[in-house]
Amino acid sequence: MLRFLARRSLGAIVIILLISAITFLLFFALPSEPALMSCGKNCTPDAIAVINKNLGLDQPVPVQYWHYMTGIFVGRDFTVGHCPAPCFGYSFSNQQPVWGTIVDRFPTTLSITLGGAAVFLFVGVGIGMIAAAFRGTWIDKFFSSLSLVGNALQIYFVGVIALAVLVSGLHWMDNPAYYPITQNPGKWFMGMLIPWLVLSIIFIANYSRMTRSQMIEQLGEDHVRTARAKGLSRRAVFFRYAWRGALAPIVTIFGIDLGSLFGGAIITEFTFSLHGLGRLAVSSVSETDLPTLMAVMLVGCTAIVVANIVVDAAYAVIDPRVRLA
Amino acid sequence: MTTSEGAFLSVRDLFVRFDTEDGVVKAVDGLGFELERGRTLGIVGESGSGKSVTNLAVLGLHDPRHTEIRGEILLDGQELTGAPESVLEKLRGNKMAMIFQDSLTALSPYYTVGRQIAEPYRKHTGATRREARQRAVEMLDKVGIPNAALRVDDYPHQFSGGMRQRAMIAMALVCDPELLIADEPTTALDVTVQAQILDLLKELQQQTGSAIILITHDLGVVAHTVDELLVMYAGRAVERGTVREVLSEPRHPYTWGLLGSMPLLDSDVEEPLVPIPGTPPSLLNPPPGCPFHPRCAHVAEVGGDRCRTERPELPPGRGAACHLPAARQRTAFPQQTKPRPA
Ligand SMILES: Nc1ncnc2c1ncn2[C@@H]1O[C@H](COP(=O)(O)OP(=O)(O)O)[C@@H](O)[C@H]1O
Ligand code: SF4
Ligand SMILES: [Mg+2]
C-alpha cells in the first residue's frame, strides 16, 4: 500500500508540473498584454514597461515560471513587499494576493463537489439496489423509467427549474449561497442543497442503472449461490455477498467520472452564481490574470489527482486481489 | 416430524421445470432415487442431463419465480419440496451441504477463507466469532491444509486450486452435515489432486457417517468412490444399481455408450474411445417415448414404434429404463470394453 501511494504521488507531481508548465506557456502564446489591465486610460509604452518590470513580465518565460513555482514553497519578494509561502503571486486584475482568493473560493467548489457526489452515490446506488432487490416488479419499472428521464436532463435546465419552483414559486428555500460550514452548518447545508440536488440528478440516473445491473449480475454469481447453500438468508447474501461484489465496479466508474464531476460542479457554480474556483478560472482567463489562472490550475489539478489516488486506494482496499498484487 | 420409515434421503417423482423466454425447460422429468446414511450415490450423465438441477432442488436453491418443482424430496422423513425458506435456511449448510465444482468462482474473492468457513458455523450453532474462527482453523487442518492457523486469514486467490477445493469441503462440513452433495468436485483439478480430494471425502465420510451424493460426468471417478450409481439422461434416471453392477454389467444402451466413450482410471487395456453419436435432446421439446431413441442403435431390435411412442419406466432396484428384453440388456454390452471395477 505504501509503495502504491508513493508511486502514485510521484506520478501525480509529474502531471501537475507538466500541466502548470503548459498553462504558463499557453498564456504567453496569447497575444494579450496583461499590463494594459492595470495601466488605465493614459497608458504610455513607458508606463507599460514599468508595470511589466513590476510584474516580472520583462524576464524570460522559464525564469518567470521558476520564480512562480518556487514562490509557492518559499515565498517571494516583490517591489511592493514580501509575499509569504504559499505565494501564488498578486492578481493582475485586483492586485490582491492570489492565495487569499483561492482560500476564499475553494471551500465553495469543494462543498458543491463532495456534497453532490455524496448525494448521487447515496441516492443512485440506493435506488439501484432497491431496483435489483425488486427486479421485474413495478418498483423496478418505475425507477427504470425515472432514470430514462433523469438521463436526458441537463444541469442548467434542472437548475433553472429548481430555482423557479423551489425558490421563486413555492418559497420553500432561499437562493443557493455558500455559507462557511465552520460558522453555521445548518445554513451551509440549506444553501448548498439545491446545487447538490441539481448536480447529482444526472449522475443518479447513471449510478442507479449501473448499480442495478451490477447487483443482478452479482446475484447470479456462483459465490452468491454458495452463500445461499450455507444457509445464509436472502438478505444476508444480498448485502454481504452481492453488494460487496458490486462495490468494486461502482468505485471504478466513480474514478472515471471524477472529471465530469468537477466539470458539473463548475456548471453548477455558474447556474447558481456561486463564487467558486470554476468562475475564478474563467474570469482569470478573460482578464489575462496569469497568477490567478496558474493558482486555479494548480489547485484544481491537485484536487483531481488526489481524488484519483483516493479512489484507487479505495479500490485496493475493496478488492484483496488488487491489494496484495 | 421425522419418521424412521423410508430411506434417509428419498426423492420420488421429481419434476423441475424452468420458465424461460424460449419456453419451459423440462430439466428434471420424473426422477426418483434413495440414499442411506453412510452410503455414497454417484450420479453420472453427460453435461446437461439434469444432475446439478436435481441436487439444487434438494437444497431448495432454485429461484421460485422461474422454477416449478413437483414431487417429493424427503430428508430424514421431512418434506423439502414446498418447505418455507426459513425451514430450508436452517437445514442448508447444517444438515445438508453442498460442494461446488469451481472453487475459484464458488468462493467470494472478498472475504478470507476462514471467514467463509466460519460463517455457516456461527449462523447454525450460535458460536461466537472467536469460537467460529477456531473451528475454521480446525476444519482447515482436518482437510489437510498445512499451517491452517496462518492460512485461515488468506483470501481464496492465495490458495491453489486443490487447496481451495479442500477449503470448500471444510466449509461444507463445518456443521457436520448428514447429507453432503458434491457437484463435480474434482473436475477443475489435475488427476493426482482429484484422487486426493476423493480420498479425503471418503475418509471424512468414514468419520462422520454422512450420506454423500457425488455428481460427475467421469465414470473413472465413480468406480472407487461410490456405492450406488444412478445414470441420468435428459432429466431422467435411465439406469440404477450398485457401482459394480452398473460398471460390469451395464444394461442401458446409453450407459453402454458412456462406458465406450470414456477412459477409466484403471483400465489397462488401450481401447479406442467411441463417442455416442448425436447430441442430447432439447429439454424445451424432449422427444416422445424413450428420450434416447434419436441416438440409439437398438430401436429396430425393440420393434414397432415402442421406442418412439412409449416411455420406458425404470423398475425399482437394479434395472434400466429400456424396452429391450432383460436378457438382451444383460448381454449386449461389448465385452472388450468392459471395465474392471475395484
Ligand atoms: N436456471 C435455469 N434456467 C433454465 N434452464 C436451466 C437452468 N438451470 C439449468 N438449466 C438447464 O437444465 C438442463 C440441465 O442442467 P444441469 O442440471 O446443470 O446439467 P448437468 O447434468 O450438466 O449438471 C440444462 O439443459 C440447462 O441448460
Ligand atoms: S428404449 Fe429403445 S431407444 Fe430407448 S434405450 Fe432402449 S432400445 Fe434404445
Ligand atoms: Mg452440472
Side-chain angles (χ1 to χ4, degrees):
Chain A
M1 193 53 143
L2 279 177
R3 265 181 56 194
F4 164 82
L5 285 180
R7 189 156 35 91
R8 287 299 308 265
S9 306
L10 206 71
I13 290 169
V14 171
I15 288 176
I16 292 170
L17 283 178
L18 218 71
I19 291 180
S20 66
I22 291 172
T23 309
F24 217 83
L25 285 176
L26 275 180
F27 181 85
F28 283 97
L30 291 175
S32 59
E33 182 77 85
L36 279 177
M37 292 288 298
S38 43
C39 190
K41 278 222 172 73
N42 314 317
C43 213
T44 60
D46 280 351
I48 287 186
V50 171
I51 292 168
N52 275 344
K53 186 158 172 51
N54 282 344
L55 295 177
L57 290 169
D58 55 339
Q59 284 167 3
V61 174
V63 175
Q64 288 187 47
Y65 180 68
W66 173 252
H67 284 320
Y68 189 88
M69 295 306 282
T70 49
I72 296 171
F73 299 99
V74 297
R76 270 175 93 174
D77 286 311
F78 289 95
T79 42
V80 289
H82 180 70
C83 164
C87 175
F88 288 86
Y90 289 93
S91 162
F92 287 177
S93 48
N94 66 8
Q95 281 74 42
Q96 296 301 309
V98 171
W99 181 238
T101 314
I102 297 282
V103 168
D104 197 37
R105 301 288 190 101
F106 187 63
T108 306
T109 305
L110 193 67
S111 296
I112 297 175
T113 315
L114 288 185
V119 170
F120 80 68
L121 282 178
F122 194 75
V123 178
V125 172
I127 288 179
M129 288 176 69
I130 293 172
F134 295 97
R135 171 173 28 146
T137 66
W138 66 267
I139 299 176
D140 184 18
K141 284 172 189 141
F142 171 73
F143 282 131
S144 298
S145 354
L146 265 195
S147 94
L148 280 182
V149 177
N151 219 28
L153 296 176
Q154 297 293 323
I155 291 177
Y156 204 77
F157 176 72
V158 183
V160 170
I161 299 214
L163 287 181
V165 174
L166 295 174
V167 180
S168 315
L170 299 170
H171 298 289
W172 282 359
M173 290 191 219
D174 294 331
N175 256 314
Y178 178 77
Y179 305 99
I181 185 173
T182 45
Q183 285 167 23
N184 190 336
K187 251 185 138 180
W188 168 80
F189 186 85
M190 290 312 288
M192 283 285 122
L193 196 53
I194 293 180
W196 289 341
L197 294 178
V198 168
L199 170 59
S200 58
I201 219 152
I202 46 167
F203 290 99
I204 286 175
N206 272 329
Y207 277 73
S208 63
R209 219 168 341 112
M210 179 181 68
T211 304
R212 177 187 180 275
S213 66
Q214 284 297 336
M215 284 301 288
I216 288 175
E217 191 184 317
Q218 286 294 322
L219 285 167
E221 292 283 334
D222 282 358
H223 65 83
V224 165
R225 192 179 57 188
T226 311
R228 296 273 294 143
K230 292 197 287 198
L232 300 191
S233 66
R234 270 185 211 291
R235 172 191 295 262
V237 170
F238 188 85
F239 288 107
R240 247 181 260 166
Y241 284 83
W243 157 238
R244 185 64 203 263
L247 198 55
I250 292 173
V251 169
T252 309
I253 301 291
F254 181 68
I256 294 170
D257 277 349
L258 279 177
S260 30
L261 175 61
F262 280 102
I266 291 174
I267 299 175
T268 309
E269 282 176 18
F270 276 90
T271 307
F272 299 110
S273 314
L274 296 167
H275 295 280
L277 286 184
R279 284 171 74 88
L280 191 61
V282 172
S283 65
S284 68
V285 170
S286 59
E287 291 163 12
T288 59
D289 185 352
L290 177 64
T292 306
L293 177 62
M294 279 294 285
V296 175
M297 288 302 278
L298 284 169
V299 171
C301 281
T302 309
I304 292 181
V305 167
V306 167
N308 260 308
I309 294 178
V310 168
V311 166
D312 284 353
Y315 189 83
V317 169
I318 287 168
D319 195 331
R321 289 165 297 184
V322 176
R323 195 188 311 165
L324 298 153
Chain B
M1 198 62 219
T2 50
T3 59
S4 56
E5 187 209 325
F8 173 61
L9 173 70
S10 159
V11 173
R12 280 178 220 154
D13 251 339
L14 182 69
F15 291 83
V16 181
R17 293 184 177 166
F18 298 111
D19 232 339
T20 69
E21 281 168 16
D22 305 322
V24 177
V25 176
K26 297 175 181 159
V28 178
D29 198 28
L31 183 76
F33 62 86
E34 295 192 337
L35 178 62
E36 294 296 350
R37 282 197 173 86
R39 306 281 288 175
T40 302
L41 171 74
I43 302 185
V44 294
E46 284 165 300
S47 146
S49 51
K51 307 183 295 291
S52 298
V53 169
T54 302
N55 288 284
L56 290 171
V58 173
L59 265 80
L61 285 179
H62 289 299
D63 184 347
R65 282 172 298 185
H66 310 116
T67 322
E68 187 201 338
I69 299 182
R70 282 195 289 123
E72 269 183 8
I73 300 169
L74 293 166
L75 180 72
D76 210 2
Q78 184 177 8
E79 177 62 81
L80 299 186
T81 39
E85 262 307 298
S86 55
V87 170
L88 291 173
E89 273 167 22
K90 289 201 185 77
L91 295 174
R92 286 197 285 253
N94 194 14
K95 188 161 184 169
M96 53 184 182
M98 191 148 174
I99 300 168
F100 293 97
Q101 172 177 349
D102 186 349
S103 60
L104 189 59
T105 58
L107 293 172
S108 167
Y110 301 112
Y111 298 114
T112 62
V113 169
R115 180 176 165 172
Q116 294 186 64
I117 296 173
E119 208 171 19
Y121 190 70
R122 283 194 75 189
K123 156 120 192 174
H124 294 300
T125 66
T128 65
R129 196 180 287 270
R130 177 175 299 168
E131 287 161 356
R133 187 191 147 87
Q134 194 47 46
R135 174 74 176 171
V137 174
E138 195 182 297
M139 290 307 296
L140 282 176
D141 191 52
K142 199 169 183 176
V143 297
I145 304 283
N147 272 330
L150 290 176
R151 302 307 300 258
V152 71
D153 292 323
D154 277 2
Y155 288 89
H157 72 272
Q158 293 169 286
F159 273 30
S160 70
M163 276 165 62
R164 264 200 305 272
Q165 199 56 273
R166 283 169 192 268
M168 191 135 67
I169 293 174
M171 191 170 85
L173 296 181
V174 72
C175 291
D176 292 324
E178 292 167 66
L179 171 65
L180 178 67
I181 299 172
D183 191 345
E184 316 222 8
T186 61
T187 306
L189 305 173
D190 66 54
V191 182
T192 30
V193 185
Q194 269 187 25
Q196 288 168 8
I197 296 287
L198 293 173
D199 287 346
L200 174 67
L201 280 177
K202 287 252 73 156
E203 192 186 312
L204 294 170
Q205 182 183 35
Q206 267 150 26
Q207 292 170 23
T208 61
S210 57
I212 296 182
I213 298 179
L214 181 70
I215 304 173
T216 175
H217 59 250
D218 183 350
L219 280 168
V221 162
V222 146
H224 294 292
T225 324
V226 311
D227 304 308
E228 282 117 79
L229 199 55
L230 190 74
V231 182
M232 276 188 77
Y233 185 75
R236 301 179 193 183
V238 294
E239 179 160 1
R240 168 170 50 216
T242 64
V243 69
R244 181 180 289 271
E245 286 164 346
V246 177
L247 292 188
S248 61
E249 198 186 271
R251 295 190 186 174
H252 197 281
Y254 176 62
T255 317
W256 303 340
L258 275 186
L259 288 171
S261 67
M262 286 178 188
L264 291 171
L265 272 185
D266 61 345
S267 77
D268 37 28
V269 222
E270 282 290 320
E271 288 299 330
L273 301 176
V274 191
I276 307 174
T279 51
S282 153
L283 297 175
L284 282 168
N285 211 343
C290 172
F292 190 56
H293 84 251
R295 303 169 76 184
C296 183
H298 306 269
V299 176
E301 275 177 64
V302 172
D305 248 359
R306 277 188 78 199
C307 290
R308 286 184 205 89
T309 55
E310 191 187 321
R311 175 172 170 167
E313 293 301 326
L314 180 65
R318 167 76 183 131
C322 175
H323 292 311
L324 285 172
R328 177 77 181 108
Q329 288 181 5
R330 291 201 187 96
T331 55
F333 187 60
Q335 292 300 307
Q336 67 270 23
T337 51
K338 193 187 217 172
R340 306 173 311 118

Coordinates of all heavy atoms in Angstrom, one line a residue, chain B residues 42-96:
Chain B
G42 N -23.5 -42.2 -6.7 CA -22.9 -41.5 -7.8 C -24.0 -41.1 -8.8 O -24.9 -42.0 -9.0
I43 N -24.0 -39.9 -9.3 CA -24.9 -39.6 -10.4 C -24.1 -39.2 -11.6 O -23.3 -38.3 -11.5 CB -25.9 -38.4 -10.0 CG1 -26.7 -38.8 -8.8 CG2 -26.8 -38.1 -11.2 CD1 -27.7 -37.7 -8.4
V44 N -24.2 -40.0 -12.7 CA -23.4 -39.7 -13.9 C -24.4 -39.4 -15.0 O -25.6 -39.7 -15.0 CB -22.5 -40.9 -14.3 CG1 -21.4 -41.1 -13.2 CG2 -23.3 -42.2 -14.5
G45 N -23.8 -38.8 -16.0 CA -24.5 -38.5 -17.2 C -23.8 -37.3 -17.9 O -23.1 -36.6 -17.3
E46 N -24.1 -37.2 -19.2 CA -23.5 -36.1 -20.0 C -23.8 -34.8 -19.4 O -24.9 -34.7 -18.7 CB -23.9 -36.1 -21.4 CG -23.3 -37.2 -22.3 CD -24.1 -37.4 -23.6 OE1 -25.3 -37.7 -23.5 OE2 -23.5 -37.2 -24.7
S47 N -23.1 -33.8 -19.7 CA -23.4 -32.4 -19.2 C -24.8 -32.0 -19.8 O -25.1 -32.3 -21.0 CB -22.3 -31.5 -19.7 OG -22.7 -30.3 -20.0
G48 N -25.6 -31.4 -19.0 CA -26.9 -31.0 -19.4 C -28.0 -32.0 -19.1 O -29.1 -31.9 -19.5
S49 N -27.6 -33.1 -18.4 CA -28.6 -34.2 -18.2 C -29.5 -33.9 -16.9 O -30.4 -34.7 -16.6 CB -28.0 -35.6 -18.1 OG -26.9 -35.5 -17.2
G50 N -29.2 -32.9 -16.2 CA -30.0 -32.5 -15.1 C -29.5 -32.9 -13.7 O -30.2 -32.8 -12.7
K51 N -28.2 -33.2 -13.7 CA -27.6 -33.6 -12.4 C -27.6 -32.5 -11.4 O -28.0 -32.6 -10.3 CB -26.2 -34.1 -12.6 CG -26.1 -35.2 -13.7 CD -24.6 -35.7 -13.9 CE -23.7 -34.7 -14.4 NZ -23.9 -34.3 -15.8
S52 N -27.1 -31.3 -11.8 CA -27.0 -30.2 -10.9 C -28.4 -29.7 -10.5 O -28.6 -29.4 -9.4 CB -26.2 -29.0 -11.6 OG -24.9 -29.4 -11.9
V53 N -29.2 -29.6 -11.5 CA -30.6 -29.1 -11.2 C -31.3 -30.0 -10.2 O -31.9 -29.5 -9.2 CB -31.4 -29.1 -12.5 CG1 -32.9 -28.8 -12.2 CG2 -30.9 -28.0 -13.5
T54 N -31.1 -31.3 -10.3 CA -31.7 -32.2 -9.3 C -31.2 -31.9 -7.9 O -32.0 -31.7 -6.9 CB -31.3 -33.7 -9.6 OG1 -31.7 -34.0 -10.9 CG2 -31.9 -34.6 -8.6
N55 N -29.9 -31.7 -7.8 CA -29.3 -31.5 -6.4 C -29.6 -30.1 -5.9 O -29.7 -29.9 -4.7 CB -27.9 -31.9 -6.4 CG -27.7 -33.4 -6.5 OD1 -28.0 -34.1 -5.6 ND2 -27.5 -33.9 -7.8
L56 N -29.6 -29.1 -6.8 CA -30.0 -27.8 -6.3 C -31.4 -27.8 -5.8 O -31.8 -27.1 -4.9 CB -29.8 -26.8 -7.4 CG -28.4 -26.5 -7.8 CD1 -28.3 -25.6 -9.0 CD2 -27.6 -25.8 -6.6
A57 N -32.3 -28.7 -6.4 CA -33.6 -28.8 -5.9 C -33.7 -29.4 -4.5 O -34.5 -29.0 -3.7 CB -34.5 -29.6 -6.9
V58 N -32.8 -30.3 -4.3 CA -32.7 -30.9 -2.9 C -32.5 -29.8 -1.9 O -33.1 -29.8 -0.8 CB -31.7 -32.1 -2.8 CG1 -31.5 -32.5 -1.4 CG2 -32.1 -33.2 -3.8
L59 N -31.5 -29.0 -2.2 CA -31.2 -27.9 -1.3 C -32.2 -26.7 -1.3 O -32.2 -25.8 -0.5 CB -29.8 -27.3 -1.5 CG -28.7 -27.9 -0.7 CD1 -28.3 -29.3 -1.2 CD2 -27.5 -27.0 -0.6
G60 N -33.1 -26.8 -2.3 CA -34.1 -25.7 -2.5 C -33.5 -24.4 -2.9 O -33.9 -23.3 -2.5
L61 N -32.5 -24.5 -3.8 CA -31.8 -23.3 -4.2 C -32.3 -22.7 -5.6 O -31.7 -21.8 -6.1 CB -30.3 -23.6 -4.3 CG -29.6 -23.7 -3.0 CD1 -28.1 -24.0 -3.2 CD2 -29.7 -22.4 -2.2
H62 N -33.3 -23.3 -6.1 CA -33.8 -22.7 -7.4 C -34.6 -21.5 -7.1 O -35.3 -21.4 -6.1 CB -34.6 -23.8 -8.2 CG -33.8 -24.9 -8.7 ND1 -32.8 -24.6 -9.7 CD2 -33.8 -26.2 -8.5 CE1 -32.3 -25.8 -10.0 NE2 -32.8 -26.7 -9.3
D63 N -34.6 -20.6 -8.0 CA -35.4 -19.3 -7.9 C -36.8 -19.6 -8.1 O -37.3 -20.0 -9.2 CB -34.9 -18.3 -9.0 CG -35.5 -17.0 -8.8 OD1 -36.5 -16.9 -8.1 OD2 -35.1 -16.0 -9.5
P64 N -37.6 -19.5 -7.0 CA -39.1 -19.9 -7.1 C -39.8 -19.1 -8.2 O -40.9 -19.6 -8.6 CB -39.6 -19.7 -5.7 CG -38.6 -18.7 -5.1 CD -37.3 -18.9 -5.7
R65 N -39.3 -18.0 -8.6 CA -40.1 -17.2 -9.5 C -40.1 -17.8 -10.9 O -41.0 -17.5 -11.7 CB -39.5 -15.7 -9.6 CG -39.9 -14.9 -8.4 CD -39.2 -13.6 -8.5 NE -37.8 -13.8 -8.3 CZ -36.9 -12.8 -8.2 NH1 -37.2 -11.6 -8.3 NH2 -35.6 -13.1 -8.1
H66 N -39.0 -18.6 -11.2 CA -38.9 -19.1 -12.6 C -39.0 -20.6 -12.6 O -38.7 -21.3 -13.6 CB -37.7 -18.7 -13.3 CG -37.5 -17.2 -13.2 ND1 -36.4 -16.6 -12.6 CD2 -38.3 -16.2 -13.7 CE1 -36.6 -15.3 -12.7 NE2 -37.7 -15.0 -13.3
T67 N -39.1 -21.2 -11.4 CA -39.0 -22.7 -11.3 C -40.3 -23.3 -10.8 O -40.8 -22.9 -9.8 CB -37.8 -23.1 -10.4 OG1 -36.8 -22.1 -10.6 CG2 -37.3 -24.4 -10.7
E68 N -40.7 -24.4 -11.4 CA -41.8 -25.2 -10.9 C -41.2 -26.5 -10.4 O -40.5 -27.2 -11.2 CB -42.8 -25.4 -12.0 CG -44.1 -26.1 -11.5 CD -44.9 -26.8 -12.5 OE1 -44.7 -26.4 -13.7 OE2 -45.6 -27.7 -12.2
I69 N -41.4 -26.9 -9.2 CA -40.9 -28.1 -8.7 C -42.0 -28.9 -8.2 O -42.8 -28.5 -7.4 CB -39.9 -27.9 -7.5 CG1 -38.7 -27.1 -8.1 CG2 -39.4 -29.2 -6.9 CD1 -37.6 -26.8 -7.1
R70 N -42.1 -30.2 -8.6 CA -43.1 -31.1 -8.2 C -42.5 -32.4 -7.7 O -41.4 -32.7 -8.2 CB -44.2 -31.4 -9.3 CG -45.2 -30.2 -9.4 CD -46.4 -30.6 -10.2 NE -46.0 -30.8 -11.6 CZ -46.2 -32.0 -12.3 NH1 -46.7 -33.0 -11.7 NH2 -45.9 -32.0 -13.6
G71 N -43.2 -33.1 -6.9 CA -42.6 -34.4 -6.4 C -42.3 -34.3 -5.0 O -42.6 -33.4 -4.3
E72 N -41.6 -35.4 -4.5 CA -41.3 -35.5 -3.1 C -39.8 -35.5 -2.9 O -39.1 -36.2 -3.6 CB -41.8 -36.8 -2.5 CG -43.2 -36.7 -2.0 CD -43.6 -38.1 -1.4 OE1 -42.8 -39.0 -1.3 OE2 -44.8 -38.2 -1.1
I73 N -39.3 -34.7 -1.9 CA -37.9 -34.8 -1.5 C -38.0 -35.0 0.0 O -38.3 -34.0 0.7 CB -37.1 -33.6 -1.9 CG1 -37.1 -33.4 -3.4 CG2 -35.7 -33.7 -1.4 CD1 -36.5 -32.1 -3.9
L74 N -37.7 -36.2 0.5 CA -37.8 -36.4 1.9 C -36.4 -36.6 2.5 O -35.7 -37.5 2.1 CB -38.7 -37.7 2.2 CG -40.2 -37.6 1.9 CD1 -40.8 -39.0 1.9 CD2 -40.9 -36.7 2.9
L75 N -36.1 -35.7 3.4 CA -34.8 -35.8 4.1 C -35.1 -36.2 5.5 O -35.6 -35.4 6.3 CB -34.0 -34.5 4.0 CG -32.6 -34.5 4.7 CD1 -31.6 -35.3 3.9 CD2 -32.1 -33.1 4.9
D76 N -34.7 -37.4 5.9 CA -34.9 -37.9 7.2 C -36.4 -37.8 7.5 O -36.8 -37.4 8.7 CB -34.1 -37.1 8.2 CG -33.7 -37.9 9.4 OD1 -34.0 -39.1 9.5 OD2 -33.1 -37.3 10.3
G77 N -37.2 -38.1 6.5 CA -38.7 -38.0 6.7 C -39.3 -36.7 6.6 O -40.5 -36.5 6.7
Q78 N -38.5 -35.6 6.4 CA -39.0 -34.3 6.4 C -39.2 -33.8 4.9 O -38.2 -33.9 4.1 CB -38.1 -33.3 7.1 CG -38.6 -31.9 7.2 CD -37.6 -31.0 8.0 OE1 -36.5 -31.4 8.3 NE2 -38.1 -29.8 8.2
E79 N -40.4 -33.4 4.6 CA -40.6 -33.0 3.2 C -39.9 -31.6 2.9 O -40.2 -30.7 3.6 CB -42.1 -32.8 3.0 CG -42.5 -32.4 1.6 CD -42.1 -33.3 0.5 OE1 -42.8 -34.3 0.2 OE2 -41.1 -33.0 -0.2
L80 N -39.1 -31.6 1.8 CA -38.4 -30.4 1.5 C -39.1 -29.6 0.4 O -38.9 -28.4 0.3 CB -37.0 -30.7 1.1 CG -36.1 -31.4 2.2 CD1 -34.7 -31.5 1.7 CD2 -36.2 -30.6 3.5
T81 N -39.7 -30.3 -0.6 CA -40.4 -29.5 -1.6 C -41.5 -28.7 -1.0 O -42.3 -29.2 -0.3 CB -41.0 -30.4 -2.7 OG1 -41.5 -31.6 -2.1 CG2 -39.9 -30.9 -3.7
G82 N -41.5 -27.4 -1.4 CA -42.5 -26.5 -0.9 C -42.3 -26.1 0.6 O -43.1 -25.3 1.1
A83 N -41.2 -26.5 1.2 CA -40.9 -26.1 2.6 C -40.6 -24.6 2.5 O -40.0 -24.1 1.6 CB -39.8 -26.9 3.2
P84 N -41.0 -23.9 3.6 CA -40.7 -22.4 3.6 C -39.2 -22.2 3.7 O -38.4 -23.0 4.3 CB -41.4 -21.9 4.9 CG -41.8 -23.1 5.6 CD -41.8 -24.3 4.7
E85 N -38.8 -21.0 3.2 CA -37.4 -20.6 3.2 C -36.8 -20.7 4.6 O -35.7 -21.2 4.8 CB -37.3 -19.1 2.7 CG -36.9 -18.9 1.3 CD -35.6 -19.7 0.9 OE1 -34.5 -19.4 1.4 OE2 -35.7 -20.5 0.0
S86 N -37.5 -20.3 5.6 CA -37.0 -20.3 6.9 C -36.6 -21.7 7.4 O -35.6 -21.8 8.1 CB -38.0 -19.7 7.9 OG -39.2 -20.4 7.8
V87 N -37.3 -22.7 7.0 CA -37.0 -24.0 7.3 C -35.8 -24.5 6.6 O -34.8 -25.1 7.1 CB -38.2 -25.0 7.0 CG1 -37.8 -26.4 7.1 CG2 -39.4 -24.7 8.0
L88 N -35.8 -24.2 5.3 CA -34.7 -24.6 4.4 C -33.4 -24.0 4.9 O -32.3 -24.6 4.9 CB -34.9 -24.3 3.0 CG -36.1 -25.1 2.3 CD1 -36.4 -24.6 0.9 CD2 -35.7 -26.6 2.3
E89 N -33.4 -22.7 5.3 CA -32.2 -22.0 5.7 C -31.6 -22.6 6.9 O -30.4 -22.6 7.1 CB -32.5 -20.5 6.0 CG -32.5 -19.6 4.8 CD -33.1 -18.2 5.0 OE1 -33.2 -17.8 6.2 OE2 -33.4 -17.6 4.0
K90 N -32.4 -23.2 7.7 CA -31.9 -23.9 8.9 C -31.2 -25.2 8.6 O -30.4 -25.7 9.3 CB -33.0 -24.1 10.0 CG -33.4 -22.8 10.6 CD -34.1 -23.0 11.9 CE -34.6 -21.7 12.5 NZ -35.9 -21.3 11.8
L91 N -31.7 -25.8 7.5 CA -31.1 -27.1 7.1 C -29.8 -26.9 6.2 O -28.9 -27.7 6.3 CB -32.1 -27.9 6.3 CG -33.4 -28.3 7.0 CD1 -34.4 -29.0 6.1 CD2 -33.0 -29.3 8.1
R92 N -29.9 -25.9 5.3 CA -28.8 -25.7 4.4 C -27.5 -25.3 5.2 O -27.5 -24.5 6.0 CB -29.1 -24.6 3.4 CG -30.1 -25.0 2.4 CD -30.1 -24.0 1.2 NE -30.7 -22.8 1.6 CZ -31.9 -22.4 1.1 NH1 -32.5 -23.1 0.2 NH2 -32.4 -21.2 1.4
G93 N -26.4 -26.0 4.8 CA -25.1 -25.7 5.4 C -25.0 -26.4 6.8 O -24.0 -26.3 7.5
N94 N -26.1 -27.0 7.2 CA -26.2 -27.5 8.6 C -26.4 -29.0 8.5 O -25.5 -29.8 8.7 CB -27.3 -26.8 9.3 CG -27.3 -27.1 10.8 OD1 -26.3 -27.6 11.3 ND2 -28.4 -26.8 11.5
K95 N -27.7 -29.4 8.1 CA -28.0 -30.9 8.0 C -27.6 -31.3 6.6 O -27.2 -32.5 6.4 CB -29.4 -31.1 8.2 CG -29.8 -32.6 8.3 CD -31.2 -32.7 9.0 CE -31.5 -34.2 9.1 NZ -32.6 -34.4 10.0
M96 N -27.7 -30.4 5.6 CA -27.3 -30.8 4.2 C -26.4 -29.7 3.7 O -26.6 -28.5 3.9 CB -28.5 -31.0 3.3 CG -29.5 -29.9 3.3 SD -30.9 -30.2 2.4 CE -31.9 -28.7 2.5

